[in-house]
Every structure is written in C-alpha cells, then in structure tokens.
Amino acid sequence: MNTIWKAGLLASVSMGLALGTAFADDAVETNEEARELETIVVLGAQQTYSSAETTEAMALQQSPVTSILAQIDNLPGVQVQEGDAFGFDDWSTGVAVRGFQNNLGEQQVGITIDGLPNGGSNYGGGAKANRFIDTQNAGTIEVSQGTADIAARSNDALGGTLNFTTQNPLDERRVRVSASLGDFDSQRFYGRYDSGFLADNKTKFWVSLSTQSATDHVTQTADNTRDHFAAKLQTEQFGIDWTAYASYDDTWENNYQRLFSPDDFAANPNSDQLTGEWTGIPYIDQLYRKAWGTLRENSLIYLKGEKELFEGVNLEAGVYRHDNDGRGDWVPQYVVNVGQFGTSTIPLVSFVDPAGTPLAPTAGCVSSITFPYGGASS
C-alpha cells in the first residue's frame, strides 16, 4: 500500500512541474531571451606542504668539486653543514630541515634516490645521497619540509623528505669530459658517455666515471680521495617502461673535529685542534688528523618498471640493493690491557716502560690537553 502511494506522489509532482514550466515559458522568453547556462570547471592537484625543489641555476652555482648536498643549501628551511667546501668528510656533515637533523648520530629526515629508499643516512651505519650520485649526474632535488605521507619511501624518521634524482640518458649521443682544480690541492676529473637512442629507438643509456681529491683547510695534511662509477639505462620492452641504475663509490677521508664550546672557537676559530705531525707521544697523537678517517665503499643498484594500466592509472614496481662496507678510524690515547684485564689495576694503558710494563701516571702529573672529549686528565 505504501509503495503504491509513493509512486503516485512522484507522478503528481512530475505533472505539477511540467505545468509550471508551461506557464513560465512566456516569462523566460520575454525577460531573458539570451540567457545561457554557464559551466564552471574546478581543477585540483595534490600539493605537499612547504615543498620546494632545486633548479638548474642553483646547480650551476656550485662547483663540480662540491658535494651534491651543497645544492639544497640554497633552499629556504634547509641547512647543510660540512667540514669543508668539498663535502669530503661525512663525519662532520649534517643536514637540517626545519630543525630535524641527519648528522653523526641522528636520522630524522628521509632521503630517497629516484624515489627509492637509500637505507640509513647517519654516519654510524648508513650513507647520504652524496655517496650514490655524482654531482654532474644529479637531476632535480625535491625537498618536502612537512611530515611526509605514506607515499614517501624512506627508512628514516620523517621530519621531512629529500628526494635526489639522477639525470635521464639523452636522446642524442654525447661525450662529455671536465676537469676542475682549486685551493687545498683540490682536483676533479669527470667523463660521461650518453649513447642516445640505439637501433631499436627505445633504448638509451649513459655511463660515467669521476675521481677527485683534496687536502684539508686547517693543517693541509689530509689525504682525501673519492672514485665514483655510475650508469643508467632506460628502455621500453613488453609494453613496460624500464629504468635501471647502478653506482659504486670508494671514499677515503680524513676527518675534521668539531668545536665543543665558545671558548674553543675563541681560542682559534680557524682550527679544529687536530694536528698534522706524528710525535710518538700518545696523548698528543690522539689528535693526529691522518689517524681520524672514514674509509667507505658504497654501492646501489635498482630496477624499476612502470606501465599504464588504463588512462589515469599507472602501476610502478621496483627492486633495489644497497651495500655499505668500511670503517671509521680514531686513535685513543690508550690501549686496552688485554693480558691483565680483570686483574690489573690499570686496564687502560697509556704508557709503558722499555720492557712493556704498564706505567701509572706520576703523582701530580696532569695533561695540558683538554681536547677532544675532555682530553686526558692525567
């Protein structure tokens, strides 16, 4: 019964509207003969809060000898701290995005390489993008300063995201070589070959090789070297767009030490208090620069495939592998007395006599070295 009533009500309303329209036709034609229906189109796009990216002009401001990290230092809200102008020392390198840090022990900013995770990015067990991308192979660097969303493929805490991209192979064949020379014995040699499209008109690639070196700006005794190989390929096969990338980086760096107080800076703002000469005295040689080092080999390889399933919907998948091998060197002013450990009253040995017997400090003998980490108290 209710169903029948509803159907009848709808029919009545429809009829009433039709009658109303008939009576109104004359008024419409009289008052608004040229009236037209306007169409409003609203377009929307995804926008990440407080995002920015580097430009080609920013890249050209930096010398090829510098680290790729130096390019993002030009963006608002981003600060890069490096021990020298070359970015040779990862120990002293830090990246801050609106107060969030990636440095010696913190990794609060996400880093991706061509949209793929780069693993950890602090000094202790990871690597930043400068280990995987050569400066002259870098593309746009995308910086998202807000908390990243689920689409950010990063292993780090997300106080922001840095996506470092690599240049795509050129459509035309090209050979490029460059050489750079600068202060503090800095030099860099770089070469790259772009194949252009091959015979199938679908495949193109590039390969590059670079080597660079420099000393430090304090004592000019550091031996810093870096050798880098990279290659990238793009092709279309089986209706899928494929991208492959591989890089290998071999770095030997002598470190800079941090200043720990305003007094350290006031004493000598141009010195990090590491020394350039080996004296044979353990308390002094703990500050020997060549004994402070970062020796690392980093490699990255990935393969990505992308296919448009239908208009507006793309499917993308990728596999990747990172390898990090090496060590960090530091010379303490003591050795562990392994032979007598647990029974000796001096488990840490700083001095021995000619027979190798550990010696205790002379009463009242106090070291004048207060750096680093508080120096030696006796």
Side-chain angles (χ1 to χ4, degrees):
M1 186 68 179
N2 289 339
T3 302
I4 296 174
W5 179 82
K6 290 179 181 177
L9 177 62
L10 290 173
S12 300
V13 172
S14 298
M15 185 178 295
L17 291 175
L19 291 173
T21 302
F23 285 112
D25 282 344
D26 293 339
V28 171
E29 292 177 0
T30 302
N31 300 326
E32 301 182 30
E33 294 180 355
R35 182 178 179 181
E36 297 180 357
L37 179 64
E38 297 182 357
T39 301
I40 300 175
V41 179
V42 179
L43 301 177
Q46 180 181 2
Q47 178 67 41
T48 303
Y49 171 75
S50 191
S51 62
E53 62 182 33
T54 59
T55 64
E56 183 178 359
M58 292 180 181
L60 293 175
Q61 291 177 9
Q62 302 294 333
S63 167
V65 182
T66 62
S67 163
I68 187 178
L69 299 177
Q71 295 185 24
I72 60 175
D73 198 28
N74 296 318
L75 296 175
V78 181
Q79 183 180 30
V80 178
Q81 301 170 335
E82 296 178 302
D84 60 23
F86 313 119
F88 251 122
D89 178 25
D90 198 51
W91 162 273
S92 60
T93 297
V95 179
V97 178
R98 297 176 63 216
F100 294 97
Q101 300 278 337
N102 274 7
N103 51 34
L104 186 62
E106 301 288 345
Q107 47 186 62
Q108 301 170 343
V109 179
I111 292 181
T112 56
I113 310 296
D114 285 337
L116 295 174
N118 79 313
S121 56
N122 67 350
Y123 174 84
K128 301 175 181 64
N130 56 315
R131 303 298 198 195
F132 302 115
I133 303 178
D134 192 281
T135 304
Q136 291 180 270
N137 294 333
T140 299
I141 306 171
E142 302 163 349
V143 180
S144 172
Q145 296 186 13
T147 301
D149 59 17
I150 195 171
R153 306 180 185 98
S154 172
N155 291 345
D156 294 335
L158 298 182
T161 307
L162 307 175
N163 182 35
F164 294 80
T165 66
T166 55
Q167 296 175 7
N168 290 328
L170 299 177
D171 295 344
E172 302 292 333
R173 182 181 303 175
R174 185 185 72 172
V175 176
R176 179 173 58 172
V177 295
S178 72
S180 304
L181 301 174
D183 292 337
F184 307 112
D185 299 329
S186 63
Q187 59 181 12
R188 171 184 164 86
F189 303 97
Y190 167 88
R192 171 170 150 179
Y193 170 73
D194 281 82
S195 69
F197 278 112
L198 301 183
D200 62 1
N201 206 34
K202 297 180 180 180
T203 305
K204 54 184 179 177
F205 67 88
W206 58 253
V207 293
S208 77
L209 182 66
S210 67
T211 181
Q212 64 186 77
S213 60
T215 189
D216 65 283
H217 62 84
V218 184
T219 59
Q220 288 84 63
T221 56
D223 294 322
N224 299 320
T225 62
R226 179 184 186 232
D227 299 318
H228 188 90
F229 167 82
K232 189 173 185 178
L233 177 144
Q234 288 184 317
T235 187
E236 188 271 318
Q237 301 292 334
F238 313 109
I240 302 174
D241 294 324
W242 299 97
T243 301
Y245 178 77
S247 71
Y248 170 79
D249 187 272
D250 187 359
T251 302
W252 183 304
E253 301 171 340
N254 292 129
N255 303 144
Y256 292 93
Q257 180 54 286
R258 298 161 294 172
L259 300 182
F260 288 86
S261 70
D263 292 338
D264 292 331
F265 182 79
N268 190 342
N270 298 315
S271 174
D272 61 353
Q273 301 193 37
L274 296 185
T275 64
E277 297 181 4
W278 183 264
T279 67
I281 303 173
Y283 275 169
I284 297 177
D285 290 338
Q286 65 173 308
L287 306 177
Y288 184 55
R289 185 179 308 280
K290 287 189 176 182
W292 292 57
T294 300
L295 290 67
R296 299 283 174 87
E297 295 179 53
N298 290 279
S299 62
L300 164 66
I301 183 170
Y302 74 69
L303 174 65
K304 295 194 297 185
E306 182 176 359
K307 181 177 178 60
E308 184 177 18
L309 299 180
F310 47 86
E311 186 175 357
V313 177
N314 289 354
L315 177 63
E316 181 178 336
V319 293
Y320 65 95
R321 177 188 175 98
H322 289 276
D323 283 297
N324 182 322
D325 183 33
R327 69 178 195 263
D329 290 348
W330 168 59
V331 179
Q333 76 280 13
Y334 56 81
V335 295
V336 177
N337 190 356
V338 178
Q340 301 182 34
F341 186 75
T343 59
S344 173
T345 57
I346 315 175
L348 299 181
V349 179
S350 295
F351 293 98
V352 296
D353 64 14
T357 304
L359 298 175
T362 303
C365 177
V366 179
S367 171
S368 61
I369 296 177
T370 60
F371 192 91
Y373 312 118
S377 59
S378 60

